[in-house]
Amino acid sequence: MSEVTVKYFAWLRERVGVPEEQITLPHADMTIADLIAHLSERGENYAYAFADQTIVRAAIDQMHADHADRIEDAREIALFPPMTGG
Amino acid sequence: MSEVTVKYFAWLRERVGVPEEQITLPHADMTIADLIAHLSERGENYAYAFADQTIVRAAIDQMHADHADRIEDAREIALFPPMTGG
Amino acid sequence: MLAKTQDDTAVRISVQTEDFDIGIETDRIRSVASDIGGIASFVGVCRSEDGTLSALELEHYPGMAEGQIATILNQTFERWDLKAATVIHRYGIIPVGENIVLIITASTHRKAAFEAADFLMDYLKTKAPFWKKERFVDGSTGAWVAAAARDDEAAARWDIGP
Amino acid sequence: MLAKTQDDTAVRISVQTEDFDIGIETDRIRSVASDIGGIASFVGVCRSEDGTLSALELEHYPGMAEGQIATILNQTFERWDLKAATVIHRYGIIPVGENIVLIITASTHRKAAFEAADFLMDYLKTKAPFWKKERFVDGSTGAWVAAAARDDEAAARWDIGP
């Protein structure tokens, strides 16, 4: 079982309550969607943060990723709302 | 018969040989096209300047005008090639 | 004169021989208009044309140049919700690498600022009475620059009659 | 890394808390690239939203922010014949009226500079990991700014997949 750093930004960070944490992946071959489902079971703050998964964006090792993308041996996953820079 | 100031710019100025001059209009109710025809008869330099009338642009009292526009009581006519500013 | 602008200082037009400073002009735009969300700008620079050109000689029609720029700015303010705009056009001898023209447009929204700046440049090229003549590095004087058909086409995009 | 640019100094990326100076940055662009014909730029400014807002709090993803800007610049250089480009994006507390973002693009031709700057802004808005939170003049903290559907639509114009 591998470990990844999961980072949260903007209101996802505020709802989860931490900017980042180490997460032990429960099984190999997980997708971003699997990770979000796994995190949602960790407590009320997570359930609240991920209540609407359709607006959660993700990055794998700092590259934009889809929910269907596999985490594989990535070291850093980020979850965040749609970006509002510029 | 009225008088107008006629100004020339760029290669039209160079070909005519003067930047501006007073022209007495031979009759009332002239258009820009009539003025160009009249000027073309003033000498070789004018004939050369107006050899290709399709690329001559005009302004009446500093507003863009067509060859068919009437000069009426305008005080200043300008004749010049297509503009290349910016 | 300007349709949607009460404050005259929101519009600055200058036809001049001396160079301009985009930093100073941007600060001025920012100081005269409130609730700005975006400032678009364009600086036209004298190109070297692969090293053959030494300078451009810019001739203009005094009076009409300023008047036409005002007319074009008027149309721009009618079409886009601008807070402020600046147009500076130089004339005289402009060495390669030096500035020729500056456009700055400020709006609440980015797209308006961008489109208005693009529109202003298209119309300056086809409607403002300026003419460029080439000076080459070998000391000779070149031809008057021919108007590019693509400039007329670019201006025609905006659906305003001649 | 950049497709059509040998010289690294032709591209400048900075994600920073401090303000920038468009005059200094334009001079830098001019000094690193030759045969420039046009320099387009855009400054994004913190809007007052009719006087209700006092500042925006900008959060970013360090590392990925710079990486995404580099990726977007790479696509921009592949698509347009640019001589140089600069992207500066601020983070932290940005009071109303202050600068948020600066884009500068330099090209031989005007249209390339304009389009590239427009493209860069569209993609920064939808692909660069920055998030804005409102701070109101009454001292309260507002909501996180929602992404505008029109930003996605603007980015979609350019026909690049997600």
Side-chain angles (χ1 to χ4, degrees):
Chain A
M1 293 202 298
S2 61
E3 261 206 349
V4 289
T5 302
V6 180
K7 296 191 172 195
Y8 308 103
F9 293 96
W11 54 259
L12 267 163
R13 171 182 54 72
E14 290 179 340
R15 291 182 186 182
V16 169
V18 293
E20 66 177 82
E21 59 188 331
Q22 295 298 311
I23 297 288
T24 303
L25 300 177
H27 55 85
D29 211 30
M30 286 179 80
T31 64
I32 293 290
D34 295 333
L35 173 65
I36 292 173
H38 173 65
L39 290 169
S40 299
E41 290 164 11
R42 285 168 68 94
E44 275 185 19
N45 52 335
Y46 291 92
Y48 176 45
F50 298 110
D52 182 2
Q53 298 183 12
T54 63
I55 56 169
V56 176
R57 300 288 179 269
I60 298 177
D61 285 339
Q62 305 196 354
M63 301 290 283
H64 288 296
D66 292 327
H67 285 211
D69 287 345
R70 300 192 178 284
I71 293 169
E72 294 177 347
D73 55 353
R75 303 178 52 153
E76 185 175 299
I77 306 297
L79 300 171
F80 44 80
M83 292 148 282
T84 55
Chain B
M1 292 199 298
S2 62
E3 262 207 351
V4 289
T5 301
V6 181
K7 297 191 172 195
Y8 309 103
F9 292 95
W11 54 259
L12 268 163
R13 170 182 55 72
E14 290 179 340
R15 291 181 186 183
V16 170
V18 293
E20 66 176 84
E21 58 189 331
Q22 295 298 312
I23 297 287
T24 303
L25 299 177
H27 55 87
D29 211 29
M30 285 178 81
T31 63
I32 293 290
D34 295 334
L35 173 65
I36 292 173
H38 173 65
L39 289 169
S40 298
E41 291 164 11
R42 285 168 67 93
E44 275 185 19
N45 52 335
Y46 290 91
Y48 175 46
F50 298 110
D52 181 2
Q53 298 184 11
T54 62
I55 56 169
V56 176
R57 301 287 178 270
I60 298 176
D61 285 339
Q62 305 195 355
M63 301 289 284
H64 288 296
D66 291 329
H67 285 211
D69 287 345
R70 299 191 179 283
I71 293 169
E72 294 178 346
D73 55 354
R75 304 178 52 155
E76 184 174 300
I77 307 297
L79 300 170
F80 44 81
M83 293 147 284
T84 54
Chain C
M1 180 170 187
L2 285 155
K4 293 194 180 176
T5 306
Q6 286 78 42
D7 182 2
D8 282 352
T9 62
V11 174
R12 168 159 148 72
I13 296 171
S14 180
V15 176
Q16 62 188 42
T17 54
E18 61 271 25
D19 199 7
F20 47 77
D21 182 315
I22 191 175
I24 290 170
E25 297 298 337
T26 302
D27 287 345
R28 200 203 70 86
I29 283 267
R30 194 191 296 271
S31 72
V32 298
S34 61
D35 214 20
I36 285 178
I39 304 171
S41 55
F42 180 78
V43 179
V45 177
C46 181
R47 276 198 302 268
S48 72
E49 305 293 355
D50 294 321
T52 57
L53 210 67
S54 71
L56 284 172
E57 233 178 281
L58 264 108
E59 182 168 334
H60 80 299
Y61 184 173
M64 182 170 170
E66 292 84 350
Q68 281 295 308
I69 293 171
T71 300
I72 297 164
L73 273 165
N74 214 349
Q75 293 172 340
T76 311
F77 273 81
E78 279 169 17
R79 188 155 175 167
W80 287 279
D81 186 19
L82 293 189
K83 299 289 183 178
T86 292
V87 174
I88 301 178
H89 204 307
R90 294 178 69 193
Y91 64 92
I93 310 291
I94 317 244
V96 160
E98 280 201 18
N99 297 326
I100 298 172
V101 62
L102 172 68
I103 302 277
I104 310 182
T105 51
S107 175
T108 310
H109 295 288
R110 174 170 63 103
K111 287 293 169 193
F114 259 119
E115 286 186 16
D118 198 14
F119 173 89
L120 277 167
M121 277 304 299
D122 280 341
Y123 275 80
L124 275 183
K125 280 192 175 280
T126 55
K127 297 288 177 191
F130 291 86
W131 299 272
K132 292 180 183 131
K133 189 176 192 175
E134 298 170 323
R135 287 193 174 192
F136 295 117
V137 287
D138 65 8
S140 64
T141 299
W144 289 91
V145 173
R150 68 159 183 272
D151 290 336
D152 284 328
E153 287 158 17
R157 283 187 305 150
W158 303 103
D159 286 330
I160 288 186
Chain D
M1 179 173 187
L2 286 154
K4 294 194 181 177
T5 306
Q6 285 78 41
D7 182 1
D8 283 351
T9 63
V11 174
R12 167 159 148 73
I13 296 170
S14 180
V15 175
Q16 61 188 44
T17 54
E18 61 271 27
D19 199 6
F20 48 77
D21 181 314
I22 190 174
I24 291 169
E25 297 298 336
T26 301
D27 287 345
R28 200 203 69 86
I29 283 268
R30 194 191 297 272
S31 72
V32 298
S34 61
D35 214 19
I36 285 177
I39 304 171
S41 56
F42 179 78
V43 179
V45 177
C46 181
R47 277 198 303 267
S48 71
E49 304 293 355
D50 294 320
T52 57
L53 208 68
S54 71
L56 284 172
E57 233 178 280
L58 265 108
E59 183 169 333
H60 78 300
Y61 183 173
M64 183 171 169
E66 292 84 350
Q68 282 295 309
I69 293 171
T71 300
I72 297 164
L73 274 165
N74 214 349
Q75 292 172 342
T76 311
F77 273 80
E78 279 169 15
R79 189 154 175 168
W80 285 279
D81 186 18
L82 293 189
K83 298 288 185 180
T86 292
V87 174
I88 301 179
H89 204 305
R90 295 178 68 194
Y91 64 92
I93 311 291
I94 317 245
V96 161
E98 280 201 18
N99 297 326
I100 298 171
V101 63
L102 172 69
I103 301 277
I104 310 181
T105 51
S107 175
T108 310
H109 295 288
R110 175 170 62 105
K111 287 292 169 195
F114 259 119
E115 286 185 15
D118 197 14
F119 173 88
L120 277 167
M121 277 304 300
D122 280 340
Y123 275 80
L124 275 183
K125 280 194 176 281
T126 54
K127 296 288 177 191
F130 291 86
W131 299 271
K132 292 180 183 132
K133 190 176 191 174
E134 298 171 324
R135 286 191 175 194
F136 295 120
V137 288
D138 65 9
S140 65
T141 299
W144 289 91
V145 174
R150 69 162 181 272
D151 290 337
D152 285 329
E153 288 158 15
R157 283 187 306 152
W158 302 103
D159 286 332
I160 288 187

